């Protein structure tokens, strides 16, 4: 059988670089800032470490995407037998061209990710690569950028390996994180420490772009000009190590560059296969590419077609990179949402620290889950955090309406009738004058949502104001772009109650933190205590007397909330009083 041929167009030329994912935090009015060069100026305690990494100019989401995709196109993934000298692998590959960057990691066996300076190096490597014809396993050959390197004769390990960049997919378990956090000297520093442990590394982001690029190679067998882009937490600045990889198959790039052509007396158009709806077209495209991935793409396993979902998708596991992937198409609004979150995440160093902390806390207590169900999603939770930050005095984040006011002509986006316009350049947004520290914000977040009137009010980051709920879902968070939609329509009352109960309990626990916590440092304290199961927190960190007062406090809070929130009475389930 003939191998599907890869169709790889010439690449854009731009300087490979990765984004500074952190920003400083100061400035109040959301005027357009004319100074493109911006310096870090956060006074927030615990933010110093983060601010030291602030680059002079924050990259735009589209720049990060273009650079990441361009680098990925010049990158190959090599698997090799255990015990082979890494240096010998690099020496061999450098015969095919200059290597820009590389790292080694242990995935499904040892792997090397190698980025060449020029695309031609990949062709050179493909020229010498062979189809394993004598393999005992029947298979379908594919000329891709996944290679196996096997030495013709045993190569010595003796060469100096010290300068070879070795990368582990690091995911520190929560228990180990808790230990680590106990050594920090403030809750703010605990939060920045959590951010440092869990945020995506540069290597991990590169691998994500590479996985997209490899799937793009497959998709281009059908649609030679399509682009597969990462979106969601892989690129929105809130990605945690181990998060899924959301991919967007962008077919709109086809014909995008086609400026009106001079065709003489006639206009020439391609024939189009008509479909009953865009949704049907999306389902068919994903189905066909899903089959192609399942049947011909080495290393793609557990392929599932989830085409009846509101947003049809193909789910699969990409073994060489180790990512769980969701491939979608015609999902441009989600790409724009990712860009919006990226802008918010890069405005102030406290935003990411708070989002990571609350996402981690929510996951630890089963408020969010990796499977779909009636619980709050990370996306909804992030919207709640942004809304809370818009409501600080002075506000830490601008509303979406304010970001729209700062938009230029090139920021204007209307996607399927939805207004998705906002300023895309984080450098044009002035910083807040709010100097609250992240530990204060964490406590205030718990207080705020522990007392929020979920029974009648909705959350929306466009206005940054509570509105009356248009329909009776327990939790109503307006989709920022598809404004008639509730992004948390899946959440049931029980899950919301659990969330509210936990926020109240954690608000109280944070207020009890003993300022002299550091004396023995043996007991989990501050954020570390909040990441343990609640029953453990109350016994270990607060003590038996305090446990009783905790319950009384919870009940008092419950009574207080009931006066404003009729549904709050169910908030204190037997779960929180165990
Ligand atoms: P993780 O839990 O780390 O994967 O966070 P995530 O932000 O990547 O969330 P998820 O993988 O569930 O969704 C990917 C992206 O799709 C999000 O970042 C949003 O941009 C978008 N998205 C997710 N859920 C919704 C929704 O309910 N409505 C809309 N409009 N977009 C959504
Ligand atoms: Mg995701």
């Amino acid at each position: 059988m003939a191998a599907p041929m890869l169709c790889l167009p010439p690449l854009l030329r731009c300087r490979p670089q990765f984004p500074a994912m952190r920003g400083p935090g100061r400035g109040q009015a959301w005027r357009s800032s004319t100074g493109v060069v911006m310096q870090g100026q956060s006074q927030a305690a615990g933010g110093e470490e983060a601010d030291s990494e602030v680059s002079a100019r924050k990259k735009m989401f589209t720049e990060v995407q273009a650079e990441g995709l361009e680098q990925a196109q010049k990158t190959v993934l090599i698997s090799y037998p255990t015990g082979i000298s890494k240096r010998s692998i690099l020496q061999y590959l450098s015969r095919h061209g200059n290597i820009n960057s590389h790292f080694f990691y242990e995935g499904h066996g040892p792997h090397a990710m190698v980025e060449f300076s020029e695309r031609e190096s990949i062709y050179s490597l493909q020229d010498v690569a062979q189809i394993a014809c004598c393999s005992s396993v029947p298979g379908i050959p594919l000329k891709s950028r996944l290679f196996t390197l096997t030495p013709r004769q045993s190569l010595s390990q003796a060469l100096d390996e010290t300068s070879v960049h070795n990368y582990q997919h690091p995911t520190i378990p929560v228990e180990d994180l808790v230990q680590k956090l106990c050594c920090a000297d403030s809750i703010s520093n605990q939060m920045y420490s959590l951010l440092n442990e869990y945020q995506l590394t540069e290597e991990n982001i590169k691998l994500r772009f590479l996985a997209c690029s490899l799937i793009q190679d497959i998709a281009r067998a059908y649609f030679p000009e399509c682009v597969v882009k990462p979106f969601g937490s892989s690129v929105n600045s809130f990605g945690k190590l181990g998060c899924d990889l959301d991919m967007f198959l962008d077919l709109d790039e086809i014909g995008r560059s086609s400026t009106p052509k001079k065709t003489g007396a006639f206009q020439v158009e391609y024939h189009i296969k008509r479909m009953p709806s865009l949704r049907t077209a999306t389902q068919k495209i994903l189905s066909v590419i899903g089959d192609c991935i399942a049947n011909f793409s080495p290393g793609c396993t557990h392929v599932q077609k989830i085409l009846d979902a509101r947003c049809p998708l193909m789910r699969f596991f990409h073994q060489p990179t180790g990512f769980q992937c969701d491939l979608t198409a015609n999902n441009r609004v989600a790409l724009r949402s990712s860009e919006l979150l990226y802008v918010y995440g890069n405005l102030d160093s406290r935003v990411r620290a708070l989002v990571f902390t609350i996402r981690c806390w929510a996951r630890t207590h089963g408020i969010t889950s990796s499977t779909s169900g009636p619980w709050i999603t990370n996306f909804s939770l992030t919207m709640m955090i942004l809304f809370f930050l818009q409501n600080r005095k002075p506000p830490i984040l601008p509303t979406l309406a304010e970001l729209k006011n700062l938009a230029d002509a090139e920021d204007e986006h209307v996607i399927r009738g939805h207004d998705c316009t906002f300023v895309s350049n984080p450098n044009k947004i002035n910083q807040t004058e709010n100097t609250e520290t992240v530990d204060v914000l964490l406590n205030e977040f718990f207080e705020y949502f522990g007392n929020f009137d979920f029974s009648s009010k909705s959350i929306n980051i466009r206005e940054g104001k509570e509105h009356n709920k248009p329909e009776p879902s327990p939790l109503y968070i307006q989709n920022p772009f598809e404004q008639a939609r509730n992004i948390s329509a899946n959440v049931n009352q029980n899950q919301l109650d659990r969330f509210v109960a936990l926020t109240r309990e954690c608000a109280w626990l944070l207020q009890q933190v003993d300022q002299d916590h550091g004396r023995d440092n043996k007991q989990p304290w501050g954020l570390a205590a909040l990441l343990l199961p609640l029953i453990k927190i109350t016994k270990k960190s607060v003590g038996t007397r305090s446990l009783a007062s905790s319950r009384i406090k919870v009940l008092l809070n419950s009574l207080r909330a009931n006066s404003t929130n009729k549904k709050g009475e169910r908030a204190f389930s037997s779960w929180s009083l165990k």
Side-chain angles (χ1 to χ4, degrees), residues 231-234 236 238-240 243-246 310 326 331 333-339 341 359 363 369 377-380 382-383 479-482 485-488 490:
F231 73 101
S233 56
S234 297
N236 69 14
F238 299 124
K240 174 177 173 287
C243 69
D244 70 352
L245 170 53
D246 302 293
R310 188 177 80 76
D326 280 351
N331 195 16
V333 175
L335 192 70
R336 194 71 178 144
S337 305
S338 305
E339 183 164 5
L341 295 194
R359 278 190 176 202
R363 187 60 191 273
S369 165
T377 61
N378 271 335
F379 185 56
S380 294
T382 308
M383 288 293 156
N479 187 319
F481 299 126
E482 296 161 281
R485 278 186 192 276
N486 173 13
I487 62 164
S488 50
N490 63 310

Side-chain angles (χ1 to χ4, degrees), residues 187 357-358 360-367 439-451 497-513 525-538 541-542 550-551 553-554 557 560 571-572 575-576:
I187 294 178
T357 300
I358 293 170
C360 183
W361 162 85
R363 187 60 191 273
T364 310
H365 293 290
I367 297 292
D439 59 330
V440 168
L441 291 173
L442 182 63
N443 201 343
E444 292 291 327
F445 172 87
F446 290 140
E447 280 276 340
Y448 185 81
F449 283 113
N451 296 295
D497 291 346
R498 292 187 61 226
F499 171 76
V500 172
L502 200 61
T503 53
R504 289 177 185 173
E505 196 146 353
C506 289
W508 184 79
L509 284 167
L510 273 185
Q511 284 155 20
Q512 307 311 305
V513 170
W525 69 279
L527 177 57
L530 293 193
L531 296 179
L532 293 172
L534 268 195
I535 196 70
K536 233 173 165 177
I537 304 172
T538 41
S541 311
V542 185
S550 158
R551 288 174 174 176
K553 175 87 179 182
V554 164
N557 267 344
R560 181 161 58 119
F572 295 100
W575 172 82
S576 71

